[in-house]
Amino acid sequence: MKLKHLAMLLFTVTVGLTARTAHAGGTVTVKGSDTMVILGQRWAEEFMKAHPDTTIQVTGGGSGTGISALINGTTEICQASRPMKPAEREQIKAKYASDVIEIPVAMDGLSVYLHASNKISELTMAQLKGIFTGKITDWQEVGGAPGKITVYSRENSSGTYVFFKEHVLEGADYTPRAQSLPGTAAVVNAVARDKSGIGYGGEAYAKGIKIPKVKKDAASPGIAPSLATVQSGTYPLARNLFFYTRTKPAGDIKTFVDWVLGPAGQAMAQKVGYFPVH
Amino acid sequence: MSARLLRARMGDWTLGTAAALATLLLLVALLLILGDVGVHGAPRLSWAFLSQAPREGMMEGGILPAIVGTAMLVVLMTAASVPVGVATAIYLHEYAAPDSRWARLVRLGVQNLAGVPSIVFGLFGLGFFVQFLGTGMDTLFHDGKLVWGQPGLLWGALTLATLTLPTTIVATEEALRAIPPAQREAAYALGSSRFEVVTRLLLPQAMPGILTGAILAVSRGAGEVAPILFTGAAYFLPKLPHDLHSQFMHLGYHVYVMSTQSADVDASAPILYATVAVLLGLTFALNLAAVLLRARMRRA
Amino acid sequence: MPDTASESATIEARPPSGLGFAFSPRRQLPATPHVRSLPTRTPPRWHRPVEWVVRGMAAAAILAIILIFAFLVRSALPLWTSSEARKEVTQTQMWFAQTWPGYDAAEHVWQPVSDTPKYGIWPLLTGTLKVSLMAMLLAGPLGVLAAIYVACYARPKVREVVKPAIELLAGIPSVVLGFFALIVLATWMQTLLGVESRLNGIVAGVALALAVVPVVFTLSEEALRAVPQGYVEASQALGAAKWQTIWHVMLPTAAPGIATAMALGLGRAVGETMIVLMASGNAAILSWNPADSVRTLSATIAAELGEVVSGSPHYAVLFYLGLVLFAFTFAINAVAAHWIERQKDRVAGRA
């Protein structure tokens, strides 16, 4: 009977595929920030070209996802676009009796996204706070053409969401009218198609949209994200991107981390659109 | 023309036109989706696309790991769901008294299971399979080392198997119902036991029905994303899954992440469309096979 | 869940065997080898345990339902039992408006990641209902009308093409519908309606309608075809026009079946995740304006569960949302089951 043969074939293939447990080299799991997932993946790709025995598997989901995975023990390296909170550090300490290791691996200039046709070229931090908390709802109020502002934000699992909330909104809540999109690319995509849109995200993703300069306050000069302004910290929304590990990196993890911090890894970071740490 | 006849004509025209228009609208919607995906997806489709891993941050390369991951997932799912589904259907149709309390309860269970939202299956998979069974297995067999207590292929497959259980049960029952009782009676009259009736008389005849159910289940398993979000799907894996507890890439999940989280939506659009085309082609082929199989069964 | 839901009801909606055709032999006796090889000796002993295994496996569906419920409750339990979780969120805070620090008035707010996490559930509930009702407003009439066309108007040749084609709609994975809504439909709608946000309740509702239509269509069509031919002939013999027969005889007879179709369609709309996650904009706004962005229960779980630390209050709240969804679909099923019984009675002429 044909069916039986087909079933047996399928079964054999599955067992064959699934039973090959033994494979050379170790596997390093990297999980976390969506901002960093592309970067992490390119790092993994390049690293594995040089170290074919080691497997680096990269998953996104958000910095929160990565941190909770680190706490739950489901990942070895957590990629995060925000520093870990004290409460989270404590959870690691309580569970694994060791301090979490924080490794800055790249820098990012968190950018504000506007539609390409938007006339505004500078925004102060206070204006940004007003827009994203919903106090400012019309472009006229910040010097643009009259029209309602559509606010695009990220899902609350994102480190960028938290970083922006802490540094721009100063802890206040986003306006409930802010649309939460599941990834930075979705924000870019939405703003690129929406004349009234404003969003935020890594500079690396910005394509087909306008990035305004950011001013610390009304008196200070507007600053655009660039290698110099981000590394020196004069750009108000410069931030570090991190790797976190539960214990001091060793073995495959150490090899990978060292490679990332080395010239090849840092060059790749710049190629993808971030800035090197040093 | 009498007023009454006119009224009848008018009424017939109105209802007939409205009904035809509604049908047309639905067909147009179907064709629009197919057309859009076909036109934008076809140019990128090639053997290389199907046989390569994604590269350059998903902007290049193909979708091989997603295809393989999906295939392994649905094979495991079928292996788990079909035997249980078939056994349930046989029990309901051949063993239980039609109106027994237990049989009614089982039927009620099946109906309700069919109505549970897919995201709730995701929660269940995470809470039960990953965190309860998985962590339990690790404590028992691996000294607490993390092996099973994390999202993986097996847990994703079992979650989907629970989700597709009603499909296989209903399809098998339908097939059993189509077998004339006279055949059973004849077999019993010849002195065969119920078990023999089931295995030698009913199951072979119900095979196309069971297959239909399995195909429909596979089609759902290939397309459902919500249940595997937390039970095993991964954004990017450089290697194919090599173990029952490794994470996997999945066509449907790939479509989700590519359309919301890729680095550059416009640049990756061709790849995205091609992935959707593959997923749609796969599920449509499966559904079509099920429809044809069922039609053949009914004619026979 | 198109296939399973529709099919389980399909079978239930069939006329009972008393009508006489259900048991008519549909095929020849199979080639005799099956029968001839049946032995007359007493069956071997091992048949018995195997049969018990079959009986045991039949409990799987019930077991699954119980386990789903039990594990949803288990993970949501800290909301009732853990004092630490209750410090962060209480039932009162979830269901009633609160005056949060930094807010001027009592409000329902969903902001789970915050210094004071806010878990107001109403924006999500209204969001879910809003898109689901919109989907039903579109899919209900469309599905039923298409069912009328296929069951009453279409020539057999046309029916043989149209019916499977509409059922193929059910074969489109919801992530593909979500993708289509996100990339294509949203742009069309924005040009067409000129609404403020590109992704909004209307876009999600329309895409959701496409997912629900096959359910409504299939079940309604079954219900219409199950109307006994005698009713139709009697109506025609009394001189009723075709539309009068359909409107005054077939539809009322099939009403419970169609109501079931609507209920199961609604159940599917409420539970659908990927479409709303991708196409609704996911802003937790408490409003009845369909052009606003919408955040549903299901999309909230999908978007946030990945982030939370297991065992945290946020985690428990998301399982609680799962419980709410589960209870809702359970209720819908109970209603649908009731209507199916009515439908059976009706086509059998018992009511």
Side-chain angles (χ1 to χ4, degrees):
Chain A
M1 204 173 152
K2 267 191 211 154
L3 274 177
K4 218 180 256 172
H5 290 244
L6 187 70
M8 272 174 64
L9 182 73
L10 279 176
F11 183 74
T12 327
V13 169
T14 321
V15 170
L17 276 171
T18 49
R20 271 192 306 130
T21 40
H23 62 109
T27 303
V28 179
T29 313
V30 181
K31 203 179 222 171
S33 164
D34 279 329
T35 311
M36 294 171 70
V37 75
I38 304 285
L39 178 62
Q41 193 194 320
R42 299 298 296 275
W43 272 337
E45 240 178 275
E46 286 299 312
F47 177 79
M48 283 186 292
K49 274 184 203 157
H51 304 77
D53 282 349
T54 314
T55 305
I56 312 281
Q57 52 180 33
V58 183
T59 2
S63 298
T65 309
I67 290 169
S68 68
L70 197 69
I71 295 170
N72 297 341
T74 49
T75 189
E76 274 115 17
I77 296 177
C78 156
Q79 301 193 105
S81 55
R82 64 166 168 90
M84 263 174 107
K85 294 176 193 159
E88 290 162 345
R89 288 168 190 269
E90 238 145 72
Q91 276 176 299
I92 295 259
K93 199 164 184 183
K95 215 162 166 180
Y96 302 96
S98 67
D99 281 316
V100 72
I101 309 287
E102 178 180 285
I103 308 157
V105 287
M107 292 196 76
D108 181 27
L110 185 62
S111 309
V112 175
Y113 302 154
L114 298 176
H115 188 262
S117 72
N118 201 316
K119 287 189 298 185
I120 290 169
S121 57
E122 287 185 340
L123 285 167
T124 66
M125 295 288 274
Q127 283 172 331
L128 285 174
K129 181 180 176 185
I131 290 173
F132 279 92
T133 50
K135 299 273 186 304
I136 298 175
T137 56
D138 197 295
W139 284 112
Q140 221 167 358
E141 296 172 59
V142 289
K148 266 200 152 180
I149 300 177
T150 316
V151 177
Y152 293 97
S153 175
R154 291 287 316 282
E155 268 309 333
N156 54 36
S157 56
S158 134
T160 316
Y161 173 99
V162 176
F163 180 88
F164 202 79
K165 183 171 184 145
E166 276 165 12
H167 288 81
V168 181
L169 308 194
E170 294 164 323
D173 282 337
Y174 287 92
T175 162
R177 303 199 81 84
Q179 303 204 17
S180 329
L181 301 175
T184 309
V187 176
V188 173
N189 192 31
V191 174
R193 280 154 211 237
D194 186 344
K195 285 202 170 92
S196 63
I198 183 168
Y200 59 87
E203 202 248 357
Y205 283 81
K207 289 203 179 77
I209 48 173
K210 181 173 178 181
I211 296 183
K213 290 178 180 168
V214 178
K215 307 203 296 188
K216 227 180 198 118
D217 47 58
S220 44
I223 292 164
S226 70
L227 180 62
T229 58
V230 167
Q231 278 193 342
S232 67
T234 44
Y235 181 66
L237 293 174
R239 59 171 172 171
N240 274 313
L241 302 176
F242 301 102
F243 272 4
Y244 284 100
T245 56
R246 277 184 297 270
T247 49
K248 213 168 168 357
D252 286 334
I253 303 179
K254 184 173 173 9
T255 326
F256 180 58
V257 170
D258 287 347
W259 183 88
V260 162
L261 292 174
Q266 292 299 304
M268 177 53 81
Q270 208 162 355
K271 197 171 154 197
V272 178
Y274 295 102
F275 304 104
V277 239
H278 303 297
Chain B
M1 205 188 281
S2 76
R4 196 170 151 270
L5 195 62
L6 189 71
R7 210 168 95 89
R9 285 264 166 87
M10 287 281 289
D12 262 340
W13 188 86
T14 317
L15 188 61
T17 315
L21 273 181
T23 315
L24 197 66
L25 193 67
L26 293 183
L27 294 180
V28 167
L30 180 70
L31 287 180
L32 267 180
I33 296 178
L34 291 187
D36 184 63
V37 171
V39 167
H40 292 98
R44 199 68 174 63
L45 281 180
S46 63
W47 174 244
F49 182 71
L50 298 178
S51 62
Q52 287 179 356
R55 279 180 294 114
E56 315 286 328
M58 312 247 193
M59 312 284 278
E60 292 293 329
I63 51 170
L64 178 72
I67 294 177
V68 173
T70 310
M72 289 171 73
L73 183 73
V74 295
V75 168
L76 279 171
M77 175 203 82
T78 314
S81 131
V82 167
V84 178
V86 169
T88 308
I90 287 175
Y91 171 78
L92 282 178
H93 208 257
E94 305 297 327
Y95 281 61
D99 270 333
S100 79
R101 190 168 285 198
W102 181 241
R104 282 177 158 229
L105 203 64
V106 171
R107 258 178 236 281
L108 198 68
V110 174
Q111 267 170 26
N112 275 298
L113 198 61
V116 173
S118 51
I119 188 73
V120 173
F121 279 102
L123 287 175
F124 164 68
L126 177 68
F128 178 64
F129 290 123
V130 179
Q131 290 181 342
F132 182 74
L133 277 189
T135 313
M137 280 163 70
D138 284 348
T139 324
L140 284 178
F141 307 122
H142 297 275
D143 292 328
K145 202 171 137 280
L146 196 77
V147 180
W148 294 101
Q150 55 186 337
L153 193 54
L154 181 66
W155 302 141
L158 288 181
T159 308
L160 279 180
T162 324
L163 175 107
T164 51
L165 193 57
T167 314
T168 46
I169 294 178
V170 168
T172 311
E173 242 204 307
E174 194 180 357
L176 288 175
R177 194 171 294 147
I179 303 172
Q183 291 191 17
R184 295 180 184 80
E185 283 150 22
Y188 285 127
L190 289 171
S192 35
S193 76
R194 183 146 56 181
F195 186 75
E196 286 158 344
V197 170
V198 167
T199 48
R200 303 203 189 169
L201 178 70
L202 301 180
L203 276 186
Q205 289 194 64
M207 215 28 129
I210 297 173
L211 200 62
T212 312
I215 290 174
L216 285 176
V218 165
S219 149
R220 277 201 78 189
E224 276 288 354
V225 178
I228 55 164
L229 279 176
F230 322 118
T231 53
Y235 184 86
F236 171 75
L237 299 173
K239 289 196 178 166
L240 301 179
H242 50 78
D243 222 323
L244 280 178
H245 52 73
S246 32
Q247 287 199 303
F248 54 92
M249 288 177 77
H250 180 267
L251 278 173
Y253 186 68
H254 201 61
V255 169
Y256 169 61
V257 292
M258 292 256 297
S259 46
T260 55
Q261 290 158 43
S262 79
D264 181 342
V265 173
D266 288 327
S268 57
I271 288 199
L272 177 55
Y273 263 109
T275 313
V276 174
V278 171
L279 177 60
L280 254 189
L282 183 72
T283 49
F284 267 30
L286 287 168
N287 272 286
L288 205 64
V291 167
L292 293 179
L293 205 66
R294 200 185 278 163
R296 218 184 72 180
M297 217 163 64
R298 290 207 172 127
R299 266 205 305 277
Chain C
M1 353 207 108
D3 308 320
T4 46
S6 62
E7 270 161 50
S8 60
T10 302
I11 280 164
E12 295 308 314
R14 285 257 164 87
S17 51
L19 284 179
F21 54 78
F23 281 155
S24 58
R26 294 189 182 184
R27 56 169 87 192
Q28 300 281 306
L29 269 175
T32 35
H34 289 306
V35 177
R36 215 184 308 156
S37 68
L38 292 172
T40 48
R41 62 191 158 77
T42 48
R45 242 161 229 277
W46 58 268
H47 283 186
R48 208 138 248 277
V50 174
E51 287 192 324
W52 278 109
V53 169
V54 169
R55 281 168 202 270
M57 290 218 268
I62 298 179
L63 191 69
I65 284 281
I66 294 174
L67 282 178
I68 290 174
F69 182 71
F71 275 84
L72 289 181
V73 171
R74 180 180 184 255
S75 302
L77 211 54
L79 289 181
W80 289 279
T81 56
S82 150
S83 58
E84 207 167 308
R86 291 179 61 87
K87 246 186 269 166
E88 190 173 316
V89 49
T90 63
Q91 298 280 315
T92 329
Q93 287 172 345
M94 288 169 73
W95 291 95
F96 297 96
Q98 303 286 314
T99 313
W100 299 103
Y103 284 72
D104 302 329
E107 272 185 67
H108 296 281
V109 184
W110 180 265
Q111 294 267 6
V113 177
S114 178
D115 293 337
T116 10
K118 307 168 189 72
Y119 298 100
I121 201 171
W122 281 105
L124 309 182
L125 276 179
T126 50
T128 303
L129 289 179
K130 206 159 77 175
V131 282
S132 305
L133 289 180
M134 191 145 31
M136 287 315 292
L137 279 181
L138 284 171
L142 274 182
V144 173
L145 279 173
I148 290 177
Y149 177 77
V150 168
C152 311
Y153 284 98
R155 275 171 292 143
K157 279 232 163 111
V158 179
R159 175 178 14 218
E160 267 175 37
V161 179
V162 170
K163 200 182 163 203
I166 295 183
E167 280 168 349
L168 263 191
L169 260 180
I172 302 182
S174 60
V175 68
V176 173
L177 286 176
F179 156 83
F180 186 74
L182 173 72
I183 307 278
V184 185
L185 197 62
T187 312
W188 290 353
M189 298 293 257
Q190 204 179 19
T191 4
L192 209 67
L193 304 173
V195 288
E196 200 182 299
S197 11
R198 202 177 96 86
L199 300 177
N200 56 51
I202 300 177
V203 174
V206 171
L208 209 50
L210 286 177
V212 173
V213 148
V215 178
V216 177
F217 167 80
T218 311
L219 294 180
S220 305
E221 203 256 352
E222 292 278 349
L224 284 172
R225 275 201 307 155
V227 172
Q229 198 56 35
Y231 289 20
V232 178
E233 283 161 8
S235 166
Q236 282 165 348
L238 288 171
K242 189 166 189 177
W243 76 272
Q244 287 166 323
T245 306
I246 295 172
W247 199 256
H248 295 296
V249 176
M250 294 183 77
L251 279 181
T253 316
I258 294 175
T260 310
M262 297 291 180
L264 292 180
L266 182 65
R268 165 133 159 99
V270 166
E272 179 51 57
T273 309
M274 298 316 288
I275 295 177
V276 280
L277 179 62
M278 292 164 84
S280 70
N282 288 320
I285 306 172
L286 187 65
S287 88
W288 287 108
N289 178 0
D292 272 340
S293 245
V294 159
R295 190 178 184 90
T296 67
L297 290 168
S298 53
T300 304
I301 299 173
E304 296 179 12
L305 188 67
E307 172 245 359
V308 296
V309 178
S310 67
S312 67
H314 191 179
Y315 184 84
V317 169
L318 293 178
F319 274 82
Y320 182 87
L321 297 186
L323 263 179
V324 172
L325 269 181
F326 185 72
F328 194 80
T329 46
F330 219 82
I332 286 180
N333 253 299
V335 172
H338 173 71
W339 277 330
I340 287 171
E341 287 303 313
R342 295 247 316 253
Q343 169 79 15
K344 276 191 191 166
D345 289 349
R346 259 193 214 195
V347 293
R350 269 174 287 175

